[in-house]
Amino acid sequence: MWGKHDETREFLKAAIDAVSNHEALTLDELPLVVEGAVKPAVKAVLDMIMKEEEILLPMSMDTLTDEEWYQVDQQTPEYGFCLIDPEVEWTPENVETNPVTYGVDNSIRLPTGAFNVDELAALFTVLPIDLTFVDKDDKVKFFSHGPNRVFARNRAILGRDVRMCHPPGSVHIVDQIVNDFKSGKENSAAFWIQFKERFIYIEYFAMRGKEDEYLGTVEFTQDLTKLRQLEGEQRLLNYSK
């Protein structure tokens, strides 16, 4: 389905590009644009709707438990509803929630100090980076959730194999990074891309324990668009907006 979504987006992009300069199209060229770009995009969208309604959703209804559907229901508002926003909250029967508990004093002690849980959560929210941690078994263990994330994350990825969180076309890169980190061949990898008119810097680091054993991989993502525009110095106090 992920691959088909990518194909559909490519068809839509081609159709939009083809008609965006419609003033330059002649009457003779218009049928060619419709047949070559618009109709394939429409067909791809309709085919995707059919696959979702006749394959994906029925399989989901047969496979997912009430507890899993409840998790879907709780996480959906993070992305928004497609057609309707339900006014009635749904709570299935016999679904138990297990809140995470911490120490008696609600603190997490580290070698150089301590945070209580509220402070630690606020720290990850205010940091100008997005952070994702994948443990030594290649399972997504944690991600920060600040107000200006570059790439959306959903709690449904927690516990999922990291390979299942990337498009098929980039899984081989994920495998190479993880394998090189585990073997000790490499300790970091960096990428930078243009994304929605922003300059995004992405860096991966191998996390290692006291005996240099592999503990997992942490991903840092940062929007450097404004930082790349800085010049000179700023030595006077000037609160950013």
Side-chain angles (χ1 to χ4, degrees):
M1 291 294 288
W2 205 331
K4 288 297 181 183
H5 282 157
D6 289 342
E7 290 179 9
T8 301
R9 279 191 285 268
E10 289 298 321
F11 280 122
L12 287 172
K13 183 178 184 299
I16 292 171
D17 290 342
V19 301
S20 60
N21 192 22
H22 60 277
E23 295 179 355
L25 292 175
T26 66
L27 291 177
D28 292 334
E29 293 172 333
L30 188 57
L32 297 176
V33 170
V34 171
E35 290 295 328
V38 177
K39 284 189 176 181
V42 172
K43 183 178 184 302
V45 171
L46 293 176
D47 287 348
M48 183 58 63
I49 293 173
M50 181 275 293
K51 290 182 176 71
E52 291 175 347
E53 292 183 344
E54 299 184 17
I55 301 175
L56 177 63
L57 293 179
M59 288 181 62
S60 299
M61 293 296 293
D62 292 338
T63 304
L64 298 180
T65 64
D66 283 349
E67 184 173 357
E68 290 169 330
W69 276 118
Y70 182 64
Q71 293 174 2
V72 171
D73 177 73
Q74 293 296 295
Q75 296 166 19
T76 297
E78 295 182 20
Y79 291 105
F81 292 89
C82 177
L83 299 176
I84 60 171
D85 187 349
E87 297 181 359
V88 179
E89 183 176 349
W90 175 63
T91 304
E93 298 180 358
N94 302 319
V95 171
E96 297 182 1
T97 58
N98 298 310
V100 178
T101 58
Y102 299 90
V104 176
D105 61 353
N106 198 35
S107 65
I108 298 174
R109 302 200 174 278
L110 302 170
T112 54
F115 291 94
N116 67 38
V117 176
D118 291 336
E119 292 168 343
L120 191 59
L123 170 66
F124 286 121
T125 299
V126 76
L127 286 176
I129 59 171
D130 301 339
L131 184 151
T132 303
F133 171 59
V134 177
D135 69 12
K136 64 180 181 180
D137 298 317
D138 305 338
K139 299 295 190 292
V140 179
K141 202 73 169 288
F142 169 83
F143 64 90
S144 61
H145 203 279
N148 299 307
R149 280 202 66 96
V150 175
F151 303 115
R153 292 283 189 271
N154 187 285
R155 285 187 293 272
I157 70 171
L158 296 176
R160 184 181 298 177
D161 190 290
V162 65
R163 297 167 187 81
M164 301 300 294
C165 303
H166 291 78
S170 63
V171 170
H172 69 287
I173 298 177
V174 175
D175 276 328
Q176 182 176 349
I177 292 174
V178 170
N179 291 336
D180 287 345
F181 283 4
K182 286 183 176 181
S183 69
K185 179 182 178 181
E186 300 290 345
N187 285 304
S188 66
F191 304 86
W192 47 95
I193 61 173
Q194 297 289 338
F195 179 71
K196 296 181 179 180
E197 300 182 352
R198 294 185 291 172
F199 183 83
I200 307 302
Y201 186 75
I202 308 166
E203 196 160 12
Y204 299 87
F205 295 96
M207 295 177 55
R208 305 193 186 279
K210 295 179 179 179
E211 304 299 325
D212 205 33
E213 72 275 19
Y214 177 75
L215 299 179
T217 295
V218 62
E219 175 198 78
F220 292 89
T221 302
Q222 187 172 9
D223 182 352
L224 296 182
T225 307
K226 291 184 178 180
L227 295 181
R228 295 181 82 203
Q229 299 171 355
L230 294 178
E231 294 180 351
E233 297 181 344
Q234 177 174 303
R235 294 176 175 270
L236 300 178
L237 178 62
N238 182 19
Y239 290 110
S240 59
K241 303 296 183 182

